[in-house]
C-alpha cells in the first residue's frame, strides 16, 4: 500500500488518481486544512482508497496510519506552499513543513518503511544564477517556503546516510492544468497561481486579471516561467516509485519542460482557449518574483526515462474545463 500525504490537495489528488487507475492501493493522510473532502469522495470511485484525516504535527496520528496499514512506500505532498504567506508567517511553514516531515520520517523509520518520493520545488534554487536551471545550480532559497523544502532535502540526505532511507526529491517548476477528464483539478483558496487566476476572470462577476509587472528584462516585459502539466508531473512520481522499488539510490530531479512562456503569452493562450476577451490590469511587480525560471530537465529524462508530453495549451484547456465544471 502506498501512503500519499496531502492527497486531497492539487498535485496530490492527481497522483492518487493515477495510482488508483494503475491498480495500486492507496491510503491518503491529509489534514484538510487546504485540501478538500470532496476530492477524496470523488477519488474513492476510482479504486481502493482509504482516507485518514490527520495532521503531521501530531506524531501519534501518523504513527497510527503505519500501525493500521501495510505501507510500503510514501509519496509526500503535504505542505503549505504559498511563498508570500511564508514570508509573513515563517513559523507556520517551518512547523508544518519541516517538523511535520520529521514526524512522518520518524513513523516511517519505526515501521521500517524506507522509500519516499518528496515534493520539492524550484524555489529551493532561489534567484537563478543561470537558466535553464539544472540540478547543479546552487540552492539558495529566498523565502521560508523554499528554505523549508531545502531543509527537508538535507534531512533526507542525512537520513539516507544514517538509516538507509531512500528518497527521490522532485523539484517542481510551475505546475499547471488538471486531469484530462476533469475528475480533479486545481482548487486553492485563496488562489495565487497564474492560470487559474486568469481563467477566473472569464466568469461573470470575475475581477479583472491582475498582471504583476510588465517591466522585466524579458522579450515582452513579463516574467518567464516553465509550465509543467500536472499529469506529466505525476508520471514522474510513478517512475520515481518504480525507481525506488528497484533499489534506486537517493536522488533528485527537476521537473519542468526546458521551455518558458511569458505571463503575456499565457494570457493570450487563455484568451484563445476560452474564446473570450479577458479583462486585465497591469499592476506592480510581485515581491520575490525572478524574471526567468526555466528548468533543465535532462537528468530526469536520462535517469527516470521521463518525458513531459503536454503543451501549455493542453494544460490551459484542461484547467479551463475544470474551472467550468466547478462553476
Ligand atoms: N502572476 C500574475 N498574476 C497573478 C498570479 C501570478 O501576474 O494573479 C505572475 C507572477 O508574477 C509570476 C507568474 O505569473 O510571474 C507565475 O506566478 P505563479 O504564482 O503562478 O507561480 P510562481 O512562479 O510564483 O511559482
Amino acid at each position: 500500500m502506498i501512503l500519499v500525504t496531502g492527497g486531497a490537495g492539487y498535485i496530490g489528488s492527481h497522483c492518487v488518481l493515477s495510482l488508483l487507475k494503475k491498480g495500486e492501493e492507496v491510503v491518503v493522510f491529509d489534514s484538510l486544512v487546504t485540501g478538500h473532502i470532496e476530492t477524496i469522495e470523488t477519488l474513492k470511485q476510482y479504486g481502493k482508497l482509504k482516507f485518514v484525516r490527520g495532521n503531521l504535527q501530531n506524531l501519534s496520528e501518523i504513527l497510527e496510519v503505519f500501525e493500521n496499514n501495510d505501507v510500503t512506500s510514501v509519496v509526500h505532498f503535504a505542505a503549505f506552499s504559498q511563498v508570500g504567506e511564508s514570508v509573513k508567517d515563517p513559523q507556520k511553514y517551518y512547523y508544518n513543513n519541516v517538523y511535520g516531515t520529521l514526524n512522518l520520517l520518524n513513523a516511517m523509520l519505526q515501521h521500517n518503511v524506507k522509500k519516499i518520493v518528496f515534493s520539492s520545488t524550484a524555489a529551493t534554487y532561489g534567484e537563478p544564477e543561470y537558466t535553464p536551471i539544472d540540478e547543479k545550480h546552487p540552492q539558495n532559497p529566498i523565502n521560508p517556503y523554499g528554505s523549508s523544502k531545502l531543509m527537508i532535502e538535507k534531512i533526507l540526505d542525512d537520513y539516507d546516510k544514517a538509516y538507509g532511507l531512500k528518497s527521490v526529491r522532485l523539484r517542481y517548476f510551475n505546475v499547471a492544468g488538471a486531469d484530462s477528464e476533469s475528475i480533479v483539478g486545481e482548487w486553492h483558496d485563496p488562489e495565487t497561481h497564474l492560470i487559474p487566476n486568469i481563467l477566473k476572470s472569464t466568469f461573470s462577476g470575475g475581477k479583472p486579471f491582475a498582471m504583476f509587472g510588465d517591466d522585466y528584462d524579458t522579450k515582452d516585459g513579463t516574467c518567464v516561467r516553465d509550465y509543467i502539466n500536472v499529469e506529466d508531473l505525476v508520471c514522474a512520481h510513478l517512475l520515481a516509485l518504480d525507481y525506488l522499488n528497484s533499489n534506486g539510490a537517493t536522488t533528485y530531479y527537476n521537473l519542468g519542460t526546458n521551455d518558458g512562456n511569458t505571463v503575456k503569452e499565457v494570457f493570450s493562450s487563455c484568451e484563445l482557449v476560452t474564446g473570450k476577451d479577458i479583462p486585465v490590469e497591469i499592476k506592480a511587480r510581485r515581491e520575490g518574483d525572478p524574471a526567468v525560471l526555466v528548468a533543465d530537465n535532462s537528468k530526469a529524462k536520462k535517469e527516470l526515462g521521463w518525458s513531459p508530453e503536454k503543451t501549455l495549451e493542453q494544460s490551459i484547456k484542461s484547467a479551463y474545463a475544470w474551472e467550468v465544471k466547478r462553476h
Side-chain angles (χ1 to χ4, degrees):
M1 188 177 231
I2 299 169
L3 166 63
V4 179
T5 72
Y10 169 41
I11 303 169
S13 61
H14 285 82
C15 184
V16 172
L17 183 62
S18 285
L19 289 169
L20 293 176
K21 283 184 170 176
K22 221 184 126 193
E24 299 283 359
E25 271 184 61
V26 177
V27 54
V28 165
F29 183 84
D30 196 301
S31 66
L32 298 181
V33 171
T34 55
H36 303 278
I37 190 67
E38 295 88 336
T39 304
I40 297 295
E41 307 289 322
T42 305
L43 287 169
K44 279 190 172 161
Q45 299 163 34
Y46 292 87
K48 281 195 175 169
L49 172 62
K50 195 168 161 184
F51 174 62
V52 178
R53 183 175 185 172
N55 198 308
L56 286 177
Q57 289 179 50
N58 303 325
L59 178 62
S60 60
E61 291 181 8
I62 186 63
L63 268 174
E64 219 173 283
V65 174
F66 285 85
E67 277 151 23
N68 296 337
N69 300 281
D70 183 21
V71 175
T72 51
S73 52
V74 178
V75 190
H76 178 32
F77 295 99
F80 289 137
S81 62
Q82 283 186 41
V83 169
E85 185 187 56
S86 80
V87 175
K88 289 196 188 94
D89 193 1
Q91 175 168 251
K92 178 171 174 179
Y93 279 70
Y94 292 122
Y95 256 90
N96 187 65
N97 297 3
V98 183
Y99 179 62
T101 302
L102 285 171
N103 280 338
L104 170 66
L105 299 179
N106 181 338
M108 287 176 68
L109 291 177
Q110 286 195 41
H111 288 267
N112 206 28
V113 177
K114 295 199 168 170
K115 288 174 280 189
I116 182 168
V117 177
F118 172 62
S119 293
S120 189
T121 168
T124 58
Y125 293 116
E127 191 69 40
E129 291 176 15
Y130 57 85
T131 63
I133 294 175
D134 57 17
E135 289 83 354
K136 293 192 186 86
H137 188 288
Q139 286 180 292
N140 294 311
I142 54 169
N143 52 63
Y145 166 64
S147 295
S148 73
K149 292 285 184 172
L150 180 58
M151 285 176 191
I152 298 165
E153 288 212 26
K154 290 192 188 297
I155 289 166
L156 287 170
D157 268 335
D158 291 341
Y159 277 36
D160 181 15
K161 285 183 204 119
Y163 314 122
L165 188 144
K166 303 295 170 195
S167 66
V168 177
R169 285 110 61 168
L170 300 175
R171 299 177 186 155
Y172 308 158
F173 281 65
N174 286 60
V175 188
D179 90 272
S180 34
E181 295 172 83
S182 302
I183 297 165
V184 285
E186 191 163 6
W187 183 358
H188 293 120
D189 198 7
E191 186 52 74
T192 60
H193 292 119
L194 178 64
I195 295 171
N197 273 352
I198 299 174
L199 295 176
K200 273 187 174 167
S201 303
T202 64
F203 295 100
S204 64
K207 287 191 266 178
F209 161 65
M211 190 180 280
F212 299 137
D214 64 351
D215 57 350
Y216 285 93
D217 185 16
T218 58
K219 62 179 173 184
D220 62 18
T222 62
C223 290
V224 174
R225 292 290 181 273
D226 184 339
Y227 295 91
I228 174 74
N229 178 272
V230 67
E231 289 189 315
D232 281 338
L233 185 98
V234 160
C235 277
H237 293 68
L238 272 54
L239 291 168
L241 279 172
D242 291 345
Y243 166 88
L244 289 174
N245 286 331
S246 39
N247 298 319
T250 287
T251 191
Y252 39 84
Y253 298 109
N254 285 343
L255 298 183
T257 69
N258 280 8
D259 197 13
N261 288 95
T262 67
V263 172
K264 280 188 179 165
E265 285 171 344
V266 174
F267 180 80
S268 303
S269 190
C270 287
E271 287 199 316
L272 214 72
V273 165
T274 61
K276 294 183 179 172
D277 280 330
I278 305 175
V280 54
E281 276 175 4
I282 310 291
K283 299 273 193 187
R285 291 181 178 196
R286 189 173 67 178
E287 216 180 310
D289 274 340
V292 181
L293 271 179
V294 175
D296 177 334
N297 67 10
S298 35
K299 187 170 182 247
K301 273 189 173 153
K302 187 164 161 248
E303 295 179 13
L304 277 185
W306 177 69
S307 183
E309 279 159 13
K310 294 206 154 70
T311 61
L312 174 66
E313 196 186 321
Q314 285 173 304
S315 292
I316 293 174
K317 273 189 181 152
S318 61
Y320 187 54
W322 165 253
E323 287 293 341
V324 169
K325 189 178 163 192
R326 281 217 297 144
H327 277 76

